[in-house]
Amino acid sequence: MRCFFTLVPPPCAKERLLMDIGRLQALHPELSRQYRWQTREQLHITLHFFADLHPEVAQRLVKDLRESLLHFPAFSITFEAITPFPSVQRAGYLAAQITANDRLLALHEHIKSRIAQAGEAVDERVFRPHLTLARGRSRRQRLDLQANLIAPLHFDVKAVELYQSTQGENGSIYHSLATMDLSTRSGGCELQ
């Protein structure tokens, strides 16, 4: 099963990100020839991707994370700008970059360690958290673009989800298989 652990922005944050996509489309119409824009349902932050995970292993991981994440405190993340990802020279994506966040990095490491303890392979590349706004038709294209968000965007992370990914005519289709809550606190979406 093709799936991934992810953070899903709340509806208010997704609306704002869609406004930023609309603004980029209006300011740079040529980008629509090079990139396929993400839909509301496709907006997420990937924590760990599995090209093929057996459903029984997924169930065990979800059970383990449901218990362990109840001790992991909720936290906020902030988006800082829209840039080519992973680099200007290899702009395979346009992404909303996330301000450096120790809690997000700790959450990623926690999930990675639980996956390793379950005997599954983990991605050893450096984790570069971002939210994809558009996918390039080529991963080798150069794009020298940096855009500010309409306004700062912050939201509280209160849960991790396991999404299944299937290919559709207009890109990937995601289906939530499980939600694992973090230790809760008050908060929500802050738009400035």
Side-chain angles (χ1 to χ4, degrees), residues 42-149:
Q42 293 171 322
L43 297 173
H44 69 276
I45 301 163
T46 300
L47 295 170
H48 195 284
F49 176 78
F50 301 94
D52 187 23
L53 184 66
H54 193 279
E56 287 179 13
V57 175
Q59 286 179 340
R60 284 198 311 270
L61 282 170
V62 165
K63 183 177 186 247
D64 175 48
L65 286 170
R66 272 205 176 114
E67 293 172 13
S68 67
L69 289 177
L70 284 175
H71 305 287
F72 198 99
F75 60 95
S76 293
I77 61 173
T78 302
F79 293 104
E80 58 186 34
I82 299 169
T83 62
F85 188 86
S87 68
V88 168
Q89 291 77 24
R90 293 178 45 242
Y93 306 91
L94 284 175
Q97 296 300 319
I98 298 169
T99 303
N101 185 312
D102 290 341
R103 289 243 180 110
L104 177 56
L105 298 178
L107 176 62
H108 172 261
E109 285 301 316
H110 177 80
I111 291 171
K112 187 175 162 182
S113 72
R114 296 297 187 163
I115 293 167
Q117 288 174 17
E120 293 298 310
V122 292
D123 188 349
E124 294 299 337
R125 293 178 292 181
V126 174
F127 177 55
R128 294 181 53 201
H130 65 280
L131 187 144
T132 300
L133 299 174
R135 295 183 181 276
R137 301 188 192 285
S138 166
R139 296 202 179 179
R140 301 251 180 239
Q141 60 195 338
R142 178 180 170 78
L143 180 64
D144 196 1
L145 169 87
Q146 178 159 345
N148 291 326
L149 296 167

Side-chain angles (χ1 to χ4, degrees), residues 14-32:
K14 285 187 175 189
E15 286 306 314
R16 260 290 311 289
L17 290 165
L18 290 171
M19 289 171 56
D20 280 299
I21 286 174
R23 183 176 59 91
L24 275 179
Q25 289 172 319
L27 290 173
H28 303 281
E30 72 282 1
L31 290 176
S32 294

